Amino acid sequence: MASEAVMLTVGEREVRVSSPSRVLWPELGITKLDLAKYLSEERVGPAFIAANGDRPVSLQRFPGGIDGEQFFSKNPPKGAPDYVRSVSVVYPSARTHPQLVLDEPAAVVWAAQMNTVVFHPWPSRAANTDNPDQLRIDLDPQPGTDFHDAIPAALELRKVLEEAGLEAFVKTSGNRGLHVFAPIEPTREFLDVRHAVIGAARELERRMPREVTTNWWKEERGERIFVDFNQANRDRTMAGAYSPRALPTATVSCPLEWSELENADPTAFTVLTIPDRLATTGDPWARFGDKPGTIDVLHGWWERDLANGLGELPFPPDYPKMPGEPPRVQPSRAKAPSTGSGTAD
């Protein structure tokens, strides 16, 4: 007997959705077909592609729903339709491999057919994968803080970026945090952009030392908002704008107007509510990319701090050892030097 399937019209294409009644979000009963319809909705699809299209993307897939097993797909799978393309990217290991690119809503629905729930786009375009055209800063609430503690940090970060000549945009992470983005000219490579992010993060930390931290080690962060500079690295991604999250409430990483931020409730932005929101308020990121800036000022701040003794910060543990990087040793486990006091760097 043929497996259950439906054909979904997406623009001028017909996309097959198998197992449409498979429940992905058990608490809400949201099915695979519901997800496909969300991504193909006449307002969601174009906004999703505007934010995430024409970029290498990793697909976070949940074959049995969000409570089951998951895995990431980066490479084009066998049988991908001809409207789903790929581009060669260089990973931190220096290995080169093709990675998926989504160019139209039908391709996004095809990814949902492959049980994709969360979409993770790169900050660079398919034609120039080595040079980001987005500066991204992740404001991550630590234990003892929450979404509302991240709001003042985001508002001050906006001022920091404006002083550096960049126009900032904000979105919910879909969970507890906030993502602040700025469009930039794609003229500098990933390490330069990472250093620009660190320059901005350190400036924010100086202004809000009790509320914000750049400490990589969790034991040193305290009850503050962590500015996750390592999300600026090559092959490090965040959930894209309008991407669902694999959380029980089916929340979405939702772009906001800055005027909305102080009263925003991240739990209100879900697969079920975003279509109506776009219909009534439009896309707050519709102008994103109209006026890209440069990272020159932020990179100058990085160089200033470097000259003042503030060096490189730790990279993720799966990265090769990087020039100037401090030892990747958790402070509480670092051996004390044989003479003197304190712990090793």
Side-chain angles (χ1 to χ4, degrees), residues 315-331:
F315 283 77
D318 59 328
Y319 257 61
K321 185 68 175 177
M322 301 296 287
E325 181 185 5
R328 297 179 190 175
V329 181
Q330 186 174 336

Side-chain angles (χ1 to χ4, degrees), residues 30-300:
I30 297 175
T31 66
K32 183 177 177 180
L33 181 59
D34 294 329
L35 174 60
K37 288 181 175 179
Y38 163 76
L39 295 168
S40 67
E41 204 272 342
E42 62 178 343
R43 296 174 185 85
V44 176
F48 184 99
I49 288 296
N52 308 302
D54 190 34
R55 300 177 183 279
V57 63
S58 298
L59 308 180
Q60 190 175 0
R61 296 164 61 183
F62 295 80
I66 65 165
D67 295 332
E69 294 183 358
Q70 61 172 294
F71 62 95
F72 281 84
S73 287
K74 298 182 179 183
N75 307 327
K78 292 182 179 180
D82 58 9
Y83 53 86
V84 176
R85 65 180 170 118
S86 64
V87 64
S88 290
V89 298
V90 179
Y91 296 126
S93 64
R95 180 174 59 88
T96 300
H97 211 281
Q99 186 144 349
L100 288 162
V101 179
L102 306 176
D103 291 316
E104 58 179 279
V108 184
V109 175
W110 165 82
Q113 152 62 16
M114 302 289 288
N115 300 301
T116 302
V117 171
V118 192
F119 296 78
H120 300 263
W122 278 40
S124 54
R125 295 280 181 176
N128 186 6
T129 60
D130 291 327
N131 293 347
D133 70 338
Q134 294 178 343
L135 180 139
R136 301 174 170 183
I137 300 180
D138 180 14
L139 299 176
D140 183 11
Q142 298 303 289
T145 65
D146 60 19
F147 175 85
H148 295 287
D149 294 304
I151 292 174
L155 292 170
E156 188 63 32
L157 179 57
R158 183 191 187 190
K159 295 178 184 177
V160 169
L161 295 177
E162 285 178 343
E163 290 171 20
L166 297 174
E167 181 179 10
F169 293 77
V170 67
K171 67 183 180 75
T172 67
S173 70
N175 196 355
R176 300 173 61 244
L178 283 167
H179 297 162
V180 177
F181 283 29
I184 58 176
E185 296 177 1
T187 58
R188 307 283 284 267
E189 53 93 20
F190 275 90
L191 188 60
D192 286 340
V193 175
R194 167 192 162 90
H195 289 159
V197 167
I198 293 174
R202 283 174 167 159
E203 179 61 27
L204 181 63
E205 186 178 36
R206 277 188 283 267
R207 298 183 185 191
M208 305 180 72
R210 295 182 179 178
E211 297 85 10
V212 167
T213 181
T214 60
N215 286 326
W216 173 246
W217 300 105
K218 291 182 180 180
E219 64 187 56
E220 296 184 329
R221 294 176 189 171
E223 294 185 1
R224 290 178 287 183
I225 303 300
F226 172 51
V227 187
D228 191 352
F229 51 87
N230 269 330
Q231 293 290 1
N233 288 325
R234 181 184 293 271
D235 196 31
R236 284 300 184 273
T237 56
M238 307 176 188
Y242 299 111
S243 170
R245 300 301 306 271
L247 297 169
T249 52
T251 47
V252 165
S253 181
C254 183
L256 301 174
E257 297 285 359
W258 283 103
S259 59
E260 298 180 279
L261 181 56
E262 289 188 274
N263 296 313
D265 175 5
T267 66
F269 310 121
T270 74
V271 168
L272 301 177
T273 64
I274 289 295
D276 285 344
R277 170 179 164 79
L278 282 168
T280 56
T281 68
D283 180 9
W285 281 23
R287 297 182 299 102
F288 193 102
D290 286 355
K291 298 178 180 179
T294 76
I295 63 169
D296 293 350
V297 172
L298 292 181
H299 205 269

